[in-house]
């Protein structure tokens, strides 16, 4: 039939239906209808292949019938409108969509003219094309409540051959509150492969379109060698649109723990507090627990405030209860502001050690830092000014000696002015010149070595030359080669100063050209140095990329402050070798090492990452030589591996291993297997911690969770639907 015919029928019926509803009606009824609010979004509109009126004044629409009323869209085979009663008789197949949130399918229906109230036979309700409720009869009341009788509910794909779904809930009656987005079940059974497993006289579940609702979350079983088998049953409370609270009781024969999480969002930030209170058999008659609180706020004038507060009752609690594996607990508060020409940062830190080898009173537990840097464009270059304040305090009152820091407390004020300029000279050479002056003042307390007031001045200057070159190969690949040379000088004037922050130095391609490779400004390099090296890269046409860096530092005089394994001791540093091989986003192999003059590596690291649609592998290997200054009397050699493999769309496996090659034993290991479909997720894992200290015993941890997908459960970005094939 021509489109113009359908359009004429739609326009005609949109005017005929309200007229028919009011014609011959009593005057009070007409007045009431005229005064009714516009909550129903105007009259219904019909579109059909054929439309006619019977002698009994009944309007009949047949063939590809569609009706629209507000956000409701109805499709059916035939609709009969009775002008006298205002009812609609609908013959199937029937499909009703409302607001994109849920769909109703039925074989026959009787509805009022608003399409909101009535009775449907052989009906199914489908939420977000996943969770479906099939019933013998469905009743719509007040445009808000939908009641389903003799109902089966599942999010599994239902086959037409009669095979039962993996799981379903059978209920005598189900009521859906459209306004509150809740489902109420009466006399319900949970069935697995049509076998009754649990019975619930009454149960409430959120419908899948609801993002947040109070109720139980997915329970889990946890079995450890230290805490036996326990059950975690979290309950989620909505405390308004911007706050929520989760309580998680954890009960076993050896522990009684109540965990909690509180979250709140503000107009300019958010907070989250996690904690637990424990009574267990591992430390009888002692209250145990932890508290982690964090927040981030955007303040006025571009400032930001970040809070991370952490406390734990004892050294073993985090390991015993499977929490983040920390060897030191840090609390931090940071106020910062960053814009194009200025960086401001103030931080307060507190450290609590969980290491057996450290004594809490002898480590810097309270640390304060303030940093302000500005830059100015002057004379074709860049001028930077930096002001830094640092202080740390130990709890011990013992005075420091020449061999031990003991209870030394320290305050430092540093000021720096530097100028930097880059230009291009003949032959394509890029030249960079940097010059500056740093001033430092130290105050020490509880110290028998330093007088308490030390200061120094450190002028510096450096000239760096680069020659970037490019080569185009015949096959389309591009190579880049950049030789680098730098000559630098740093003076030294003033007192000998304490150096406590710069204990561990990392020598890599990131600081090859730095004028000071110490990690903090309490120590600065001195003397004349020459750095030479090269960067190389190759970009292939098929996604392959390769990068490499080599370099070495030569000194006029050696610097005894560098540790043995830092690679920077003596007048000639170890040769830095670093490289990476990449293939798109799927494969990356990275290696770095420090090669000494005797052709031995003092440090070496290798890392590999491989990702495909089914495989995700990450591994690393680390080797460190002996170094008494870094508290390492033996060589350290360790391998770490973590990977997962999707066996098929439903099954996946994972494994992880941390192996100490020097000791010839594993420190951590774990395996896991998961089964996931459109309607269920099952996760089983086993983890083993082999290390032991005076406060932590080796332990094995078994984890098991099962969740029925569909009811507001986020099961990941990948969705797989089973088929009804018999193979």
């Amino acid at each position: 039939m021509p489109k113009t015919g359908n359009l004429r029928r739609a326009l005609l019926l949109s005017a005929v239906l309200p007229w028919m509803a009011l014609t011959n009606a009593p005057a009070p009824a007409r007045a009431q209808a005229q005064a009714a609010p516009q909550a129903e979004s105007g009259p219904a509109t019909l579109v059909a292949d054929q439309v006619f009126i019977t002698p009994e004044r009944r309007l009949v629409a047949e063939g590809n019938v569609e009706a629209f009323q507000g956000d409701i869209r109805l499709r059916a085979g035939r609709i009969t409108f009775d002008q006298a009663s205002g009812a609609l008789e609908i013959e199937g197949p029937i499909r009703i969509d409302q607001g994109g949130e849920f769909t109703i399918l039925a074989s026959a229906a009787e509805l009022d003219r608003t399409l909101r109230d009535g009775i449907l036979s052989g009906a199914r309700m489908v939420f977000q094309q996943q969770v479906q409720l099939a019933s013998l009869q469905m009743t719509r009341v007040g445009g808000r409540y939908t009641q389903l009788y003799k109902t089966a509910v599942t999010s599994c794909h239902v086959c037409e051959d009669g095979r039962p779904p993996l799981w379903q809930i059978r209920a005598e009656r189900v009521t859906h509150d459209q306004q509150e987005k809740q489902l109420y079940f009466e006399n319900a059974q949970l069935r697995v492969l049509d076998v009754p497993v649990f019975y619930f006289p009454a149960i409430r579940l959120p419908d899948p379109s609801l993002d947040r609702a109070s109720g139980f979350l997915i329970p889990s079983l946890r079995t450890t060698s230290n805490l036996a088998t326990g059950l975690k049953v979290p309950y989620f409370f909505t405390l308004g649109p911007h706050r929520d609270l989760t309580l998680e009781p954890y009960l076993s024969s050896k522990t009684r723990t109540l965990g909690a999480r509180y979250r709140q969002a503000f107009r300019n930030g958010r907070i989250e507090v996690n904690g637990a209170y424990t009574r267990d058999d591992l430390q009888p008659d002692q209250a145990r627990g932890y508290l982690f609180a964090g927040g981030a706020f955007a303040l006025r004038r571009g400032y930001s405030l970040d809070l991370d507060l952490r406390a734990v009752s004892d050294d073993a609690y985090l390991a015993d209860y499977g929490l983040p594996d920390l060897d030191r607990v840090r609390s931090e508060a940071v106020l910062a502001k960053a814009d194009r020409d200025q960086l401001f940062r103030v931080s307060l830190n507190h450290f609590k050690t969980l290491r057996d080898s450290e004594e809490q009173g002898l480590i810097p537990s309270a640390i304060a830092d303030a940093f302000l840097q500005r830059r100015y464009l002057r004379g074709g270059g860049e001028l930077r000014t930096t002001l830094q304040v640092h202080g740390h305090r130990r709890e011990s009152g013992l005075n420091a000696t020449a061999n031990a820091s003991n209870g030394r407390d320290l305050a430092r004020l540093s000021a720096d002015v530097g100028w930097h300029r880059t230009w291009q000279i003949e032959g394509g050479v890029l030249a960079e010149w940097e010059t500056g002056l740093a001033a430092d003042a130290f105050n020490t307390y509880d110290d028998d070595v330093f007088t308490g007031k030390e200061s120094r001045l450190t002028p510096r200057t450096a000239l760096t030359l680069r020659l970037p070159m490019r080569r185009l190969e015949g096959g389309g690949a591009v190579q880049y080669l950049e030789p680098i040379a730098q000559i630098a000088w740093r003076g030294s004037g003033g007192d000998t100063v304490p150096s406590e922050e710069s204990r561990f130095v990392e020598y890599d391609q990131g600081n090859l050209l730095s004028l000071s490779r110490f990690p903090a400004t309490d120590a600065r390099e001195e003397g004349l140095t020459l750095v030479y090296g090269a960067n190389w890269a190759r970009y292939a046409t098929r996604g392959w990329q390769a990068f490499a860096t080599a370099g070495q530092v030569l000194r006029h005089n050696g610097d005894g402050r560098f540790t043995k394994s830092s690679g920077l001791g003596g007048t000639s540093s170890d040769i830095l070798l670093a490289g990476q091989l990449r293939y798109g986003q799927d494969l990356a192999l990275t290696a770095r090492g420090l090669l000494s003059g005797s052709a031995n590596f003092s440090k070496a690291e290798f890392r590999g990452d491989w990702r495909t649609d089914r495989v995700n592998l990450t591994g690393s290997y680390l080797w460190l030589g002996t170094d008494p200054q870094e508290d390492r009397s033996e060589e350290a050699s360790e391998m770490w591996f973590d990977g997962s493999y999707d066996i098929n769309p439903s099954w996946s496996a994972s494994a992880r291993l941390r192996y100490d090659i020097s000791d010839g034993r594993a420190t951590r290991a774990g395996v896991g297997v998961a089964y996931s479909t459109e309607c269920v997720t099952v996760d089983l894992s086993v983890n083993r911690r082999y290390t032991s200290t005076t406060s932590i015993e080796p332990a094995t941890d078994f984890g098991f969770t099962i969740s029925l997908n569909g009811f507001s459960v986020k099961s990941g970005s990948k969705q797989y639907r089973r088929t009804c094939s018999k193979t």
Side-chain angles (χ1 to χ4, degrees):
M1 181 169 292
K3 295 182 179 179
T4 55
N6 286 340
L7 180 59
R8 284 198 302 271
R9 289 186 177 88
L11 294 175
L12 174 63
L13 291 174
S14 65
V16 169
L17 280 178
W19 177 83
M20 292 180 64
L22 296 177
T23 301
N24 298 326
R30 291 200 299 270
Q32 182 179 5
Q34 293 172 357
Q38 301 298 319
E40 297 177 358
S41 303
T45 300
L46 280 177
V47 177
D49 291 341
Q50 296 181 6
V51 178
F52 58 90
I53 300 176
T54 68
E56 294 80 15
R57 298 182 61 81
R58 303 180 74 186
L59 179 68
V60 179
E62 293 181 335
N64 298 316
V65 182
E66 294 191 39
F68 303 90
Q69 170 69 33
D71 62 347
I72 301 177
R73 179 182 181 181
L74 180 148
R75 284 178 284 182
R78 176 187 173 101
I79 293 181
T80 302
F81 175 71
D82 189 338
Q83 184 270 335
S85 63
L88 293 171
E89 295 181 4
I90 308 173
E91 300 178 13
I94 301 171
R95 180 185 178 100
I96 303 175
D97 296 287
Q98 182 163 359
E101 294 184 353
F102 63 88
T103 300
I104 295 176
L105 306 174
S107 58
E110 294 183 6
L111 300 175
D112 65 1
R113 64 167 56 91
T114 66
L115 307 179
R116 295 178 180 271
D117 299 337
I119 300 176
L120 299 91
S121 302
R124 285 191 298 161
M125 179 181 289
V126 183
F127 291 95
Q128 297 180 344
Q129 300 183 358
Q130 183 176 9
V131 177
Q132 56 179 304
L133 296 80
S135 66
L136 295 178
Q137 179 178 301
M138 179 187 300
T139 303
R140 297 266 291 166
V141 181
R144 172 177 175 178
Y145 298 100
T146 302
Q147 292 184 338
L148 300 96
Y149 302 91
K150 303 295 183 181
T151 307
V153 182
T154 185
S155 60
C156 300
H157 184 60
V158 180
C159 300
E160 296 181 358
D161 57 6
R163 283 184 293 170
L166 183 61
W167 69 266
Q168 61 179 311
I169 299 176
R170 291 284 186 91
E172 182 177 333
R173 182 168 66 176
V174 178
T175 301
H176 176 233
D177 186 339
Q178 184 176 334
Q179 179 175 324
E180 297 295 332
K181 297 186 177 182
Q182 298 289 334
L183 292 167
Y184 299 90
F185 295 76
E186 300 178 23
N187 296 325
Q189 289 182 350
L190 173 63
R191 297 190 175 194
V192 177
L193 294 177
D194 211 25
V195 177
V197 177
F198 293 107
Y199 170 77
F200 306 95
I203 187 174
R204 175 184 60 84
L205 294 174
D207 83 29
S209 63
L210 183 61
D211 293 330
R212 301 169 70 247
S214 297
F216 287 100
L217 302 179
I218 301 172
S220 61
L221 285 174
R222 181 173 185 258
T223 300
T224 71
S225 55
N226 292 336
L227 297 173
T229 299
L231 177 65
K232 294 183 177 182
V233 185
Y235 192 91
F236 180 80
F237 297 89
T238 57
L239 306 178
H242 310 298
R243 296 181 297 167
D244 59 57
L245 172 67
T246 303
L247 296 179
E248 185 181 61
Y250 173 30
L251 300 176
S252 78
S253 60
K254 294 187 177 182
T255 182
R256 284 74 60 197
T257 298
L258 178 62
R261 183 192 68 183
Y262 176 79
R263 300 184 301 181
Q264 182 169 356
F266 302 91
R267 185 181 301 273
N268 64 334
R270 58 176 176 78
I271 62 171
E272 179 174 335
V273 181
N274 292 273
Y277 176 81
T278 295
R279 289 280 188 171
D280 59 25
D281 295 347
L282 300 181
Q283 298 186 21
D285 303 324
Q286 180 177 339
R288 308 180 70 194
Y290 81 101
L291 179 66
F292 289 176
F297 299 90
L299 307 180
R300 295 181 178 180
R301 299 181 180 180
Y303 287 92
S304 65
L305 176 63
D306 293 290
L307 302 173
D308 188 7
L309 309 178
R310 301 189 175 193
V312 63
S313 60
D314 55 82
D315 296 352
Y317 187 85
L318 298 180
D320 288 341
Y321 286 85
L323 295 167
D325 188 11
L326 306 175
D327 58 355
R328 293 191 183 103
V329 178
R330 183 182 72 173
S331 296
E332 183 180 39
V334 179
L335 177 66
K337 178 183 179 181
D339 53 35
R340 184 176 182 273
D341 297 316
Q342 177 178 291
L343 173 62
F344 171 77
R345 189 178 189 274
V346 175
S347 65
L348 299 174
N349 291 269
H350 181 272
F351 285 89
K352 173 181 171 59
T353 183
L354 305 181
R355 299 180 178 182
D356 288 343
S357 59
E358 290 182 340
E359 184 178 341
Q360 178 66 30
L362 299 182
I363 69 169
S365 56
I367 302 174
D369 281 290
F371 182 88
L372 175 62
Q373 186 176 84
R374 294 177 181 269
R375 72 170 189 171
Y376 310 88
L377 300 180
R378 294 289 186 273
E382 180 181 292
L383 177 68
R384 289 194 181 187
T385 61
T386 304
L387 182 65
Q388 184 178 11
V389 179
H390 169 86
H392 62 252
R393 179 182 178 276
R394 293 176 170 89
E395 298 175 2
S396 172
L398 296 175
N399 284 359
T401 66
N403 299 319
S405 298
N406 290 336
R408 177 190 291 141
D409 301 327
L410 183 145
R412 172 173 56 84
L413 174 64
S414 299
D416 185 277
V417 178
W419 186 77
H420 178 273
R421 183 181 178 183
T422 302
W423 67 95
Q424 183 173 340
I425 58 180
E426 294 183 2
V429 177
L430 296 179
E432 302 176 23
W433 181 37
E434 178 182 352
T435 186
L437 176 66
D440 305 287
F442 293 78
N443 269 5
T444 56
Y445 309 89
D446 297 334
D447 199 324
D448 290 338
V449 178
F450 297 96
T451 62
K453 294 185 181 296
E454 290 79 24
S455 61
R456 70 181 175 194
L457 287 175
T458 310
R460 67 183 184 276
T461 187
L463 177 65
T464 304
L465 301 177
R466 304 170 182 264
L467 181 58
M469 296 178 287
R470 177 177 180 270
R471 177 193 175 197
L472 180 62
E473 298 181 4
V478 181
Q479 290 193 46
Y480 295 89
L481 179 63
E482 184 185 52
I484 300 173
Q486 180 194 74
I487 185 169
W489 173 83
R490 292 153 295 253
S492 177
D495 305 318
T496 301
V497 298
S499 177
E500 292 198 325
E501 304 165 66
S502 300
R503 293 189 59 198
F504 301 101
V505 178
E506 288 293 332
Y507 172 34
D508 56 28
Q509 59 270 44
N511 61 13
L512 177 63
L513 299 177
S514 297
L515 296 188
S516 181
R517 297 166 188 83
F518 290 105
T521 53
D522 65 330
R524 301 182 188 273
E525 293 189 36
E526 303 172 1
L528 183 65
T529 60
L530 172 65
V531 180
Y532 68 94
N535 294 319
W536 173 83
R538 184 179 186 273
Y539 297 85
T541 56
R542 295 186 179 182
W544 287 99
Q545 302 175 15
F547 310 90
T549 297
Q552 187 178 27
V553 181
L554 305 178
R555 303 177 186 278
H556 184 265
N557 295 310
D559 193 329
R561 293 173 297 175
F562 288 110
T563 63
K564 173 186 175 182
S565 62
S566 67
L568 292 167
T571 57
S572 299
S573 75
D574 293 349
I575 299 176
L576 170 66
L577 299 174
Q580 185 181 68
L581 181 66
R582 296 180 61 92
Y583 181 73
Q585 300 297 322
D586 299 333
L587 178 66
L589 302 175
T590 305
R592 184 185 65 166
L594 300 179
L595 186 65
S596 66
S598 56
N600 294 321
F601 282 97
S602 57
K603 290 182 179 180
E605 179 184 12
F606 176 80
R607 179 182 177 92
D609 296 273
W610 182 34
R611 292 180 176 86
T612 67
D613 292 339
R614 302 180 64 179
V615 178
N616 190 341
L617 297 178
T618 299
S620 65
Y621 169 78
L622 178 66
W623 186 88
L624 299 174
T626 60
D627 194 337
Q629 291 179 270
E630 294 186 2
D631 301 326
R632 190 169 56 253
S633 57
E634 298 180 357
E635 296 178 354
S637 180
E638 185 176 272
M639 179 182 66
W640 173 81
F641 164 83
D642 191 357
S644 63
Y645 176 68
D646 293 337
I647 303 171
N648 57 42
S650 297
W651 288 93
S652 63
S654 62
R656 61 207 63 88
L657 174 67
R658 187 171 180 176
Y659 190 83
D660 190 332
I661 300 175
S662 300
D663 289 346
R665 64 185 181 91
T667 56
R668 287 183 179 272
V671 295
V673 62
Y675 174 77
S676 180
T677 67
E678 78 283 356
C679 63
V680 67
T681 297
V682 181
D683 196 335
L684 176 65
S685 62
V686 181
N687 294 281
R688 173 69 176 174
R689 186 185 70 247
Y690 296 90
T691 55
S692 63
T693 64
T694 57
S695 58
I696 300 176
E697 295 292 334
T700 302
D701 188 338
F702 296 87
F704 176 74
T705 60
I706 180 171
S707 61
L708 305 181
N709 297 338
F711 293 98
S712 298
V713 175
K714 308 301 182 183
S715 56
S717 58
K718 293 184 179 180
Q719 296 291 334
Y720 300 106
R721 184 170 295 275
R722 296 176 300 156
T723 66
C724 294
S725 173
K726 295 182 180 181
T727 58

